[in-house]
């Protein structure tokens, strides 16, 4: 099926139909964080969703057709950056203001989990074509999820494809795959119980990965079983951008079903209120029970719109 949207041919091939429905959004378990509560009823009309995360092959077609340059491939604009920083923050040296992105580097020993700087490195030349830096490539990884894409990059791709990024409610509803009150897209069985079900971190994060799921980093799409709606990797592998602004206290508590919610009107992260942030969902290959448990269907995280990471990608809806 093909549908013309604003002159762009949008194709539902490679997408799954997510039917109309109502569900309880938010955490149903004790492990839920405060920004996942309270649970509340949400009603959605049906929509199409990409079966997999957008791949390197798909993103390469977009770049070839448009000449698009991602955020990570551009030299940061200090005038824009300082708007997100405390007043009076000194300008960093020119050696830092280079085209770069954040790459995961595993420390040798246990480190303070409250400081992500212990495992994230700002690496010059890291971008979607070079996920670990200038000496790496995506050759042979055409079916891997594209990473180092900012929210702005993901939105540009979605617009070109005649699609859009999912709302946070759409994402969670789709991730649940028709299961009621399940903790994960596959049900309630623990992520490391039975056979591997998602690409996550096993062992002691971030210094020791036992490789139980056979992946130390990214996995190709479709490497694990799909959920009840036919969607792959709705837990683990890469975090996925949503269209919504992040707000720590956004969840509705009216007692009435919210219909097709589009998120708050602005961002509010109490930890960094000066930085506007968007929601990311689903966890990544770095998620572990001792750290973020992002693979839980109700888990929420946030990131600034211009941030690219080795573990962040996206999928589209329409």
């Amino acid at each position: 099926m093909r549908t013309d949207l604003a002159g762009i041919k949008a194709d539902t091939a490679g997408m799954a139909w997510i039917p109309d429905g109502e569900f309880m959004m938010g955490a149903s378990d004790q492990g839920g964080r405060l920004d996942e509560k309270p649970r509340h009823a949400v009603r959605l009309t049906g929509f199409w969703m990409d079966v997999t995360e957008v791949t390197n092959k798909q993103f390469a077609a977009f770049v070839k057709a448009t000449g698009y340059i991602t955020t990570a491939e551009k030299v940061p604009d200090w005038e824009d950056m300082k708007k997100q920083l405390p007043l009076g923050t000194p300008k960093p040296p020119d050696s830092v203001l280079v085209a770069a992105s954040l790459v995961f580097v595993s420390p040798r020993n246990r480190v303070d989990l409250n400081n992500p700087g212990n495992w994230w490195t700002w690496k010059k030349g890291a971008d979607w074509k070079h996920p670990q830096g200038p000496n790496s490539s995506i050759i042979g990884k055409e079916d891997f999820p594209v990473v180092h894409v900012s929210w702005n990059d993901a939105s540009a791709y979605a617009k070109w494809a005649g699609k859009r990024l999912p709302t946070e409610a759409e994402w969670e509803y789709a991730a649940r795959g028709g299961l009621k009150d399940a903790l994960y897209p596959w049900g309630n069985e623990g992520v490391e119980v039975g056979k591997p079900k998602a690409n996550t971190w096993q062992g002691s994060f971030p210094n020791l990965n036992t490789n139980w799921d056979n992946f130390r980093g990214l996995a190709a799409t479709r490497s694990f079983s799909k959920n009840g709606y036919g969607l792959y990797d709705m837990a683990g592998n890469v975090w996925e951008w949503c269209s919504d602004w992040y707000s720590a206290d956004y969840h509705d508590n009216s007692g009435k079903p919210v219909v097709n919610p589009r998120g708050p009107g602005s961002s509010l992260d109490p930890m960094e209120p000066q930085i506007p942030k968007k929601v990311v969902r689903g966890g990544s290959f770095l998620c572990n029970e001792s750290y973020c448990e992002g693979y839980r269907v109700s888990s929420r995280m946030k990131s600034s719109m211009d941030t690219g990471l080795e573990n962040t990608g996206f999928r589209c809806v329409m």
Side-chain angles (χ1 to χ4, degrees), residues 42-71:
V42 171
R43 185 179 301 147
L44 296 171
T45 53
F47 56 96
W48 292 94
M49 183 174 237
D50 288 343
V51 167
T52 70
E53 295 139 343
V54 172
T55 65
N56 288 320
K57 181 179 180 180
Q58 291 170 316
F59 199 78
F62 158 62
V63 170
K64 182 178 180 180
T66 63
Y68 186 84
I69 300 173
T70 62
T71 302

Side-chain angles (χ1 to χ4, degrees), residues 67-87:
Y68 186 84
I69 300 173
T70 62
T71 302
E73 297 173 279
K74 301 174 184 177
V75 175
D77 186 330
W78 170 242
E79 294 303 315
D80 287 337
M81 287 180 63
K82 69 181 182 180
K83 296 174 184 177
Q84 300 181 23
L85 299 171
L87 191 65

Side-chain angles (χ1 to χ4, degrees), residues 231-246:
L231 307 172
Y232 294 88
D233 294 318
M234 295 302 283
N237 217 21
V238 296
W239 287 99
E240 300 180 11
W241 287 110
C242 292
S243 60
D244 300 26
W245 291 111
Y246 173 82

Side-chain angles (χ1 to χ4, degrees), residues 29-186:
D29 63 312
Q30 295 300 316
R33 293 184 290 271
L34 289 177
D35 68 350
E36 300 172 37
K37 302 173 182 178
R39 297 182 75 210
H40 58 287
V42 171
R43 185 179 301 147
L44 296 171
T45 53
F47 56 96
W48 292 94
M49 183 174 237
D50 288 343
V51 167
T52 70
E53 295 139 343
V54 172
T55 65
N56 288 320
K57 181 179 180 180
Q58 291 170 316
F59 199 78
F62 158 62
V63 170
K64 182 178 180 180
T66 63
Y68 186 84
I69 300 173
T70 62
T71 302
E73 297 173 279
K74 301 174 184 177
V75 175
D77 186 330
W78 170 242
E79 294 303 315
D80 287 337
M81 287 180 63
K82 69 181 182 180
K83 296 174 184 177
Q84 300 181 23
L85 299 171
L87 191 65
T89 299
K91 181 181 179 180
D94 290 340
S95 60
V96 175
L97 293 176
V98 295
S101 194
L102 289 165
V103 172
F104 173 75
V105 177
S106 181
R108 294 183 178 181
N109 305 302
R110 290 180 177 270
V111 294
D112 179 7
L113 295 182
N114 293 313
N115 180 13
N118 285 323
W119 55 87
W120 286 113
T121 298
W122 181 246
K123 183 167 287 190
K124 180 181 179 180
D127 56 43
W128 73 275
K129 292 178 290 188
H130 309 94
Q132 286 85 44
N135 295 324
S136 64
S137 80
I138 57 172
I139 296 174
K141 296 183 176 181
E142 289 79 10
D143 292 329
F144 280 57
V146 65
V147 294
H148 292 295
V149 283
S150 68
W151 187 91
N152 297 322
D153 301 332
S155 296
Y157 173 93
K159 182 177 180 180
W160 170 79
K163 304 178 184 181
R164 60 179 174 82
L165 295 180
T167 66
E168 187 176 7
E170 288 172 336
W171 195 98
E172 183 173 326
Y173 176 64
R176 291 179 177 275
L179 298 178
K180 183 179 180 181
D181 297 337
L183 301 180
Y184 314 106
W186 57 82

Side-chain angles (χ1 to χ4, degrees), residues 196-202 209-217 224 285:
K197 295 174 284 292
N199 184 16
T200 62
W201 183 283
Q202 303 89 47
N209 189 345
T210 65
N211 200 30
W212 174 73
D213 63 6
N214 297 316
F215 295 100
R216 289 193 180 276
F224 297 87
F285 66 90

